[in-house]
Amino acid sequence: VFILTHNFDCMTQVKNWLSHIRKSAGKLQRDFYMINNKDIDNKRLAYLTSLDKLLLDYESEYHYLFSLLRNFKDNGELETIYNFPNIGRKFLETFLAFKVPSNENIHNKMSHIEYDDAEKTAILRFVETHSHADRSDGVLNFDMSLGNGGQKAILSLLTLIEQVDVTHYTTLMPA
């Protein structure tokens, strides 16, 4: 049976249905593929490849972002944490969209969340300050303070999610 779709929700549903198929002789009796495209000599060529690992392993981008935050380990190098303010911001904005469904900005939405104010400020500083190019001279420089408190801000963000909605947090955790 081949099921083809352009609809992400349909693909996720089919993937979930097929995940219950048992192994036979130690091998799963199903595979997932996707069609990719390449431009070669100004010609678009389509080819079949295995389903991208992110699409196979995660229910959504939100689940993926959570796993990145949960598994983050600071090794003291700027490169290790460099993308995490953006990851944290995208994750927090998505969480807040469901918890505080309004057109308020991220700061105002956070004011509705019951959590330590100093911790909320640290989280917002991490996801706001380090994810925007707010430089008057237009030059982007590495912010050497990014690593200071980054691990703590990520842990605080995850703790906020857990304390505000333990059921939500628990369902995000891998089985």
Side-chain angles (χ1 to χ4, degrees), residues 32-134:
F32 298 100
Y33 299 95
M34 62 190 289
I35 297 174
N36 275 334
N37 295 290
K38 282 185 186 177
D39 284 329
I40 299 177
D41 297 329
N42 293 324
K43 293 180 184 171
R44 183 175 166 217
L45 300 174
Y47 61 97
L48 194 64
T49 185
S50 294
L51 185 64
D52 189 284
K53 184 169 174 35
L54 291 183
L55 297 174
L56 187 60
D57 292 347
Y58 297 97
E59 292 289 316
S60 68
E61 181 183 17
Y62 183 72
H63 289 88
Y64 172 64
L65 295 174
F66 175 80
S67 76
L68 290 176
L69 292 166
R70 190 178 61 77
N71 293 316
F72 176 75
K73 299 284 187 272
D74 189 1
N75 67 2
E77 294 180 12
L78 186 58
E79 183 178 17
T80 304
I81 196 161
Y82 191 75
N83 292 316
F84 277 85
N86 290 314
I87 293 167
R89 181 184 176 91
K90 198 168 193 180
F91 179 79
L92 179 59
E93 285 177 335
T94 305
F95 176 76
L96 292 173
F98 289 100
K99 286 310 269 187
V100 186
S102 72
N103 62 356
E104 296 175 281
N105 66 34
I106 192 170
H107 289 271
N108 291 342
K109 285 184 177 192
M110 281 287 272
S111 71
H112 298 289
I113 299 294
E114 297 271 337
Y115 192 62
D116 181 78
D117 285 336
E119 294 295 317
K120 286 194 293 188
T121 299
I123 292 167
L124 285 169
R125 183 183 183 285
F126 180 71
V127 302
E128 285 279 291
T129 304
H130 300 297
S131 66
H132 287 84
D134 291 334

